[in-house]
Amino acid sequence: LEYHSAQSARSPALRALASNAEGVLFLRGSFALPQRDPDGESFSNIFVERHPLRVGTPVMAPWAQDGMDYLAKVHAIDLELGQCTLIWDDGGTTYRVVPLAAVTAVNGCVFPCVAQALPQAVRIWSARRAMLRSLWDYQLQAESGCAHDAFVDLVGICCDAAFAEVRAVLMSRSKSWSSLGLERARIQLQRSRWAAERAYRPDARALAAICLHRGELMRLASAAVVPSAPPSSLAARSHRRQRDQDLRASFQETLQLYDRAAEHLKSAEWKQSHASLNEASWHPPRGHIRPEIVNDLLRAKALADIASRWKPPSPRSRGVHRMLRAGSQ
């Protein structure tokens, strides 16, 4: 509630930081959503609407193509699948099936049936909306010419926005939303990389964090490609061969990102005795895990995904096994 009240400040930078902190709280916290005050006009997405969700109810929902919220009406509800079908007010006919946890009332409140049935998903989608508000406010700050010395802030906001987007993707059962959501997360990480490299003195810790995020995102995107059935025609075999080559290139780039992250971590000289480990902004709240260990764990996950994709030991897969041996070393 305190973070949300700070979002009404006149300073875009303060609003951006407050929205970012609210989004992080949603991602890491586990708490019951408070009921909406019937005597007040609350526009916070952390409040639960008192009116139920029914067919024909006007709502705000994200359109999968750009991830922005638009006005629509409910056409059908499926609580078991956690999805609903919408009728867009502008007459659009694409991406009408959206995650139920992403739907809010017009005033931004969450519907009670959704909050009770999908509490974790509601918190993640609320975090995503908070991160988007943080980006919008930061852009307002930049347009006023007051963000030239805050590139590190933009790096953190973009990384958090990408993380919230990926969490929303993992909660969704829609293939279209998954692919488009991962692409939006990739764009956010590109923006964070641009901001980090544009700084007067690029922070090795920020560059390492970006490489870790990009590597994990590429691993998730590659894992989303479902292996097809054995090819039955020349065209199918050619398509599968091309897909395998793209996956192999993607995995190689993933391992290279972890190598770059290790180089940045080494240059940052993160050690347990280093003063930066006492800074909350660069330190996880639940345990003292060194970033080098996190990098090794993520690299091991990528190697495990590579090993699960190809069956040994075929002559055609020698290149894959060479990549695995090099990565394990």
Side-chain angles (χ1 to χ4, degrees), residues 178-212:
S178 298
S179 59
L180 294 171
L182 291 176
E183 176 62 20
R184 284 191 294 272
R186 186 188 65 82
I187 293 174
Q188 296 295 355
L189 292 179
Q190 282 184 339
R191 296 178 64 184
S192 65
R193 178 186 177 187
W194 174 87
E197 295 177 348
R198 189 178 175 86
Y200 176 69
R201 290 184 178 180
D203 194 321
R205 300 174 300 179
L207 293 172
I210 293 170
C211 288
L212 290 176

Side-chain angles (χ1 to χ4, degrees), residues 48-304:
V48 178
E49 177 63 49
R50 292 189 178 275
H51 300 291
L53 180 64
R54 298 191 180 98
V55 174
T57 302
V59 297
M60 296 294 294
W63 187 51
Q65 185 65 40
D66 60 4
M68 306 299 292
D69 285 347
Y70 296 94
L71 190 62
K73 290 184 179 179
V74 177
H75 178 70
I77 302 172
D78 192 335
L79 278 176
E80 183 177 354
L81 292 179
Q83 298 177 347
C84 67
T85 305
L86 304 176
I87 300 176
W88 301 110
D89 273 22
D90 61 0
T93 58
T94 58
Y95 305 115
R96 294 178 53 201
V97 179
V98 300
L100 195 57
V103 176
T104 65
V106 177
N107 58 10
C109 296
V110 179
F111 290 99
C113 61
V114 182
Q116 294 175 3
L118 305 167
Q120 183 179 2
V122 166
R123 284 194 295 270
I124 289 175
W125 281 98
S126 298
R128 180 183 178 275
R129 287 190 290 270
M131 295 303 181
L132 290 179
R133 288 200 309 271
S134 179
L135 276 174
W136 296 333
D137 288 329
Y138 186 91
Q139 290 174 357
L140 291 176
Q141 183 77 6
E143 291 174 359
S144 64
C146 301
H148 61 281
D149 58 346
F151 288 113
V152 175
D153 292 337
L154 179 59
V155 170
I157 292 174
C158 288
C159 285
D160 289 340
F163 179 70
E165 190 75 54
V166 172
R167 289 291 301 274
V169 165
L170 296 177
M171 281 287 176
S172 174
R173 298 185 179 182
S174 172
K175 293 183 179 179
S176 60
W177 184 272
S178 298
S179 59
L180 294 171
L182 291 176
E183 176 62 20
R184 284 191 294 272
R186 186 188 65 82
I187 293 174
Q188 296 295 355
L189 292 179
Q190 282 184 339
R191 296 178 64 184
S192 65
R193 178 186 177 187
W194 174 87
E197 295 177 348
R198 189 178 175 86
Y200 176 69
R201 290 184 178 180
D203 194 321
R205 300 174 300 179
L207 293 172
I210 293 170
C211 288
L212 290 176
H213 285 304
R214 291 177 61 199
E216 181 67 3
L217 180 61
M218 292 195 66
R219 186 190 69 82
L220 291 173
S222 300
V225 179
V226 180
S228 58
S232 57
S233 64
L234 181 61
R237 286 194 295 270
S238 176
H239 175 73
R240 181 171 182 176
R241 185 162 50 250
Q242 181 62 41
R243 189 206 63 190
D244 290 343
Q245 292 176 356
D246 294 340
L247 282 175
R248 187 176 295 109
S250 177
F251 281 128
Q252 289 176 342
E253 185 176 355
T254 300
L255 296 178
Q256 291 174 359
L257 285 170
Y258 291 133
D259 291 339
R260 291 169 57 185
E263 294 176 359
H264 291 310
L265 291 173
K266 184 177 180 180
S267 62
E269 295 182 353
W270 272 357
K271 299 180 180 179
Q272 291 184 353
S273 59
H274 197 279
S276 64
L277 286 181
N278 297 323
E279 300 177 11
S281 59
W282 297 103
H283 191 65
R286 300 176 181 175
H288 299 266
I289 302 178
R290 296 178 60 183
E292 294 87 352
I293 298 178
V294 175
N295 185 32
D296 291 340
L297 291 174
L298 293 178
R299 184 185 181 88
K301 289 173 63 177
L303 291 172

Side-chain angles (χ1 to χ4, degrees), residues 8-23:
S8 60
R10 297 182 60 183
S11 170
L14 182 58
R15 295 199 303 266
L17 294 176
S19 297
N20 181 260
E22 182 185 9

